[in-house]
Amino acid sequence: MTTPPSPPSDAAALAGGRRSIHDLLDVEFLEAGPDRVVLRIPVDWRVHQPNGILHGGVSALLAESAASYGAALAAGPGRNVVGIELNASHLRSVREGHLTAEATPVRVGRTVQVWRIALSDDDGRAICEARCTLSVLDRPGGAIGPVDPRVVYE
């Protein structure tokens, strides 16, 4: 058994000092706004399934993270979002390079948001297509404190 990697020393401190799976997998936030979010993750041994290709669960994780981040920004201050449904169609495998997720809203409603997420490799080939439905909560900060735009709420 190996020792898990330490979190990167330059990782942004999250609300209350909490770290997340995003730190462990080196998720990069390339763009973030209420109309578009772009995240990227390196594809290496950490995200491979036993056959040496990207694990589909990692595509789902990146898709929901991108949608959740955008939905939190679109919902605005004092509101929180939680994913309630995720659909992901895996289209092509990838062994190395990067996986990039681009999330755009289909509908931003008062209580429900739906986001489309296109995941691609370094050559722009479609790897996964996903759709995420999120519930918008009126509880300021929910159970974890105030909304921090640097934190992905799932």
Side-chain angles (χ1 to χ4, degrees):
M1 182 175 209
T2 60
T3 304
S6 299
S9 59
D10 61 349
L14 301 178
R18 289 184 301 272
R19 298 222 179 258
S20 73
I21 188 73
H22 303 107
D23 297 302
L24 289 174
L25 299 178
D26 294 329
V27 174
E28 293 180 80
F29 288 75
L30 302 179
E31 183 179 331
D35 296 320
R36 185 171 185 253
V37 172
V38 181
L39 302 181
R40 183 171 70 174
I41 187 171
V43 177
D44 60 22
W45 65 270
R46 295 173 297 167
V47 298
H48 284 170
Q49 47 100 302
N51 291 323
I53 60 174
L54 177 70
H55 192 292
V58 174
S59 295
L61 175 129
L62 197 63
E64 186 164 347
S65 294
S68 295
Y69 193 79
L73 293 171
R79 303 183 89 195
N80 203 354
V81 298
V82 292
I84 57 175
E85 180 185 29
L86 178 67
N87 173 291
S89 297
H90 306 292
L91 307 173
R92 176 187 295 260
S93 65
V94 62
R95 292 185 183 280
E96 58 186 16
H98 294 87
L99 179 67
T100 301
E102 178 183 349
T104 54
V106 174
R107 183 177 190 317
V108 176
R110 186 177 52 81
T111 59
V112 172
Q113 294 188 32
V114 177
W115 285 68
R116 176 187 174 267
I117 310 95
L119 296 102
S120 59
D121 66 10
D122 287 334
D123 294 324
R125 293 178 296 194
I127 301 300
C128 179
E129 282 289 324
R131 188 194 71 229
C132 186
T133 304
L134 303 107
S135 179
V136 180
L137 308 175
D138 284 327
R139 299 178 310 199
I144 62 169
V147 174
D148 181 337
R150 297 171 298 162
V151 179
V152 177
Y153 296 94
E154 298 183 81

